[in-house]
Amino acid sequence: MSEVRVARTNRNIHGDGFFVSQKKNCRTQNDDTHGMIRITHFRNKCIGCNACVETAPDRWRMSKKDGKSVLIGGKEKRSITTVIVGDDELDVNRIAEKMCPTNIIQVEKIAQSKKPVIASRSLAKQSSSK
């Protein structure tokens, strides 16, 4: 069985509104040590202090509509936003969790996955055709 390299990308939003892609570490499909974390944000209790954005700008931004923080890449359900990301973001988001004055950010490690985090469609098609 041949190894297929899977590249992960992370999108940053800078103050000027442009997206900048940064290539993260490459992993293989045979690598089964994908540590994952879950970040949960209780947005309705946010006071808009900007502490999370200052600490982890790759994952957080401030909303221009209401001045509250937004968890980038998260899915919102009943004003609770959740995202599952790689453990490479653990340290900065733990600091954001501790810096939040209202304690509305939760960061927790979750069970490890045996599947790659992000697979591009072209690589998936190549590996299935072999």
Side-chain angles (χ1 to χ4, degrees), residues 3 13-14 22 28 34 47 61 70 73 101 105 107 111 114 127 129:
E3 271 188 345
I13 298 179
H14 295 283
Q22 292 179 340
T28 62
H34 298 287
I47 60 172
R61 69 173 176 84
V70 176
I105 300 172
V107 179
K114 291 188 178 183
S127 65
S129 64

Side-chain angles (χ1 to χ4, degrees), residues 6-70:
V6 180
R8 292 183 56 221
T9 57
N10 185 17
R11 291 187 176 242
N12 294 331
I13 298 179
H14 295 283
D16 53 7
F18 291 101
F19 286 98
V20 179
S21 293
Q22 292 179 340
K23 195 168 189 176
K24 290 286 184 180
N25 52 347
C26 285
R27 298 181 182 179
T28 62
Q29 288 182 344
N30 293 338
D31 183 12
D32 61 348
T33 59
H34 298 287
M36 303 297 282
I37 62 169
R38 178 185 298 123
I39 305 170
T40 306
H41 180 231
F42 299 90
R43 192 170 189 280
N44 60 342
K45 297 181 181 178
C46 180
I47 60 172
C49 71
N50 203 36
C52 54
V53 177
E54 293 292 326
T55 307
D58 292 345
R59 186 53 57 190
W60 300 90
R61 69 173 176 84
M62 297 302 292
S63 171
K64 291 181 181 179
K65 289 183 179 180
D66 59 3
K68 294 182 178 185
S69 61
V70 176

